[in-house]
Amino acid sequence: PGCGKTSICNIIAEVLGLNKIEKTIPNLGEHIDSFARYIPVAVERGWTSKRDFIGYFNPLSKTFDRSNRRIYDALKLLDIEQKEDIAKYPFYILLDEANLSPMEYYWADFMNICDDLDSNCKINLGESSIFSIPETLHFVATINNDHTTETLSPRLIDRAWIITLPQVASIMVGAKIPQEQIEIITWQSIKAAFIPESDSALVMSPEAQKVYDSILIPHFRKARIIVSPRTDLAIKRYWIVASKRLEKDEYGNDSSIVALDYAVAQKMLPKITGNGDNYAKWLEDLRDICSSNNLSISARLVKEIL
């Protein structure tokens, strides 16, 4: 708590220019109240399905009862953009305190389509409320890990990137980015910057590949933690892009190792679960493996786990 999770999500929306986009799509036909492309949602305890998150079709009144009008309108807008092939800008929804309720319940429909998102992906809210989901829609979520929150399920962890923020003494409150520095970023620009052109070329550098394939994956198997094909593909896609974008760290490690370090910290370490003396020994060995292979961020996180 208090380390700036929600603020970082707000900054993402700000630098993408999502708060500057107003009525970019004229003549939508159906009335939509909000054209905002960044919507923060405060998750509440007790949510069990998309009825709580979005709403449901009431068979008695023959109308859709919206739990969150902004989310419903957003899905309607995205449906129009997908059908008209005019999806130009990214759309972000923030699930704030997302694990106050089990995410795999209220977010289940989106979890089911996030693997194979294509032009045929739809979400059914009941009766005629069936909306197409474009690739421009992304979710970010903030969570805490304490006795008031739900544990993330393995199938959710397998689909998400878990970023652990460090504890800080103070954070910047109310800092604003000058409006003249903010540009509206298109979805095509984001894809060009962060999505590999082809999965056929997902090959790490020899040094990073050796650490990943020959050291880390076998060690995780000792604790019966399997890196799924989904996670493996995500790590390699991330590495291809991040190794080009990142710089050497303060210890002089090459960007290829820094990129692998972030990938391990965000995709592999969240899978860790266990207890007992043998598990402690396994964690100690993992910490040493990370340290000896210059995965400093991962080594620090494993130390905190211990």
Side-chain angles (χ1 to χ4, degrees):
C3 63
K5 298 184 295 296
T6 304
S7 297
I8 287 177
C9 296
N10 293 337
I11 289 171
I12 291 173
E14 193 75 10
V15 298
L16 290 177
L18 300 183
N19 297 325
K20 293 183 71 172
I21 302 173
E22 295 183 354
K23 297 186 178 182
T24 57
I25 305 171
N27 302 320
L28 287 173
E30 295 187 57
H31 178 68
I32 295 177
D33 287 344
S34 174
F35 289 83
R37 300 192 75 87
Y38 172 66
I39 301 177
V41 179
V43 175
E44 300 176 15
R45 178 172 289 281
W47 285 9
T48 58
S49 71
K50 63 190 174 193
R51 293 165 62 105
D52 303 300
F53 176 34
I54 306 169
Y56 68 99
F57 180 79
N58 190 326
L60 297 177
S61 63
K62 302 297 183 182
T63 59
F64 191 87
D65 291 344
R66 302 171 220 188
S67 301
N68 191 316
R69 179 165 190 155
R70 295 185 71 194
I71 297 297
Y72 182 86
D73 284 353
L75 294 176
K76 185 189 291 187
L77 173 64
L78 291 167
D79 177 66
I80 295 172
E81 291 182 354
Q82 177 76 340
K83 290 176 179 176
E84 298 294 330
D85 195 24
I86 52 174
K88 184 178 181 181
Y89 300 109
F91 200 113
Y92 277 67
I93 296 176
L94 164 63
L95 303 174
D96 206 12
E97 303 291 354
N99 61 336
L100 281 177
S101 292
M103 286 188 69
E104 61 271 22
Y105 292 168
Y106 70 84
W107 199 67
D109 290 69
F110 296 98
M111 190 185 301
N112 290 336
I113 66 175
C114 68
D115 288 329
D116 302 306
L117 187 62
D118 57 34
S119 57
N120 296 318
C121 286
K122 294 176 172 57
I123 180 170
N124 189 342
L125 301 179
E127 198 63 17
S128 60
S129 297
I130 302 175
F131 297 141
S132 297
I133 303 297
E135 64 177 359
T136 50
L137 175 62
H138 277 67
F139 287 85
V140 290
T142 67
I143 67 169
N144 283 304
N145 288 316
D146 55 38
H147 68 282
T148 68
T149 59
E150 301 287 341
T151 302
L152 302 184
S153 68
R155 66 194 187 108
L156 177 64
I157 291 175
D158 207 36
R159 290 166 169 82
W161 289 82
I162 314 294
I163 302 173
T164 303
L165 298 185
Q167 290 292 336
V168 293
S170 62
I171 60 172
M172 293 283 289
V173 178
K176 293 291 184 180
I177 303 171
Q179 285 297 310
E180 62 271 15
Q181 294 185 16
I182 298 175
E183 298 180 23
I184 297 175
I185 309 299
T186 65
W187 174 242
Q188 288 302 321
S189 295
I190 293 176
K191 288 182 68 174
F194 295 111
I195 298 180
E197 295 181 2
S198 171
D199 286 348
S200 62
L202 297 180
V203 180
M204 296 183 185
S205 67
E207 182 183 6
Q209 193 74 53
K210 179 181 178 181
V211 174
Y212 176 64
D213 278 339
S214 303
I215 301 175
L216 286 171
I217 288 183
H219 188 70
F220 270 70
R221 284 178 182 154
K222 291 179 183 178
R224 297 185 179 180
I225 300 175
I226 305 301
V227 176
S228 69
R230 179 191 293 113
T231 296
D232 180 69
L233 182 60
I235 287 174
K236 290 177 179 176
R237 283 176 173 170
Y238 176 89
W239 186 92
I240 290 295
V241 175
S243 61
K244 299 174 183 176
R245 305 289 176 207
L246 297 173
E247 300 176 346
K248 290 183 178 180
D249 64 13
E250 63 267 34
Y251 307 107
N253 295 312
D254 186 74
S255 62
S256 65
I257 293 299
V258 178
L260 179 62
D261 192 7
Y262 277 109
V264 171
Q266 297 176 20
K267 287 298 292 183
M268 295 179 71
L269 298 191
K271 294 177 178 289
I272 291 175
T273 178
N275 56 74
D277 293 340
N278 290 336
Y279 211 85
K281 178 62 170 63
W282 179 86
L283 283 170
E284 290 169 355
D285 292 342
L286 177 60
R287 177 197 58 198
D288 295 342
I289 287 172
C290 292
S291 296
S292 61
N293 288 281
N294 299 315
L295 306 179
S296 56
I297 297 171
S298 299
R300 174 178 57 79
L301 289 174
V302 175
K303 182 179 179 181
E304 291 178 3
I305 293 171
L306 274 164

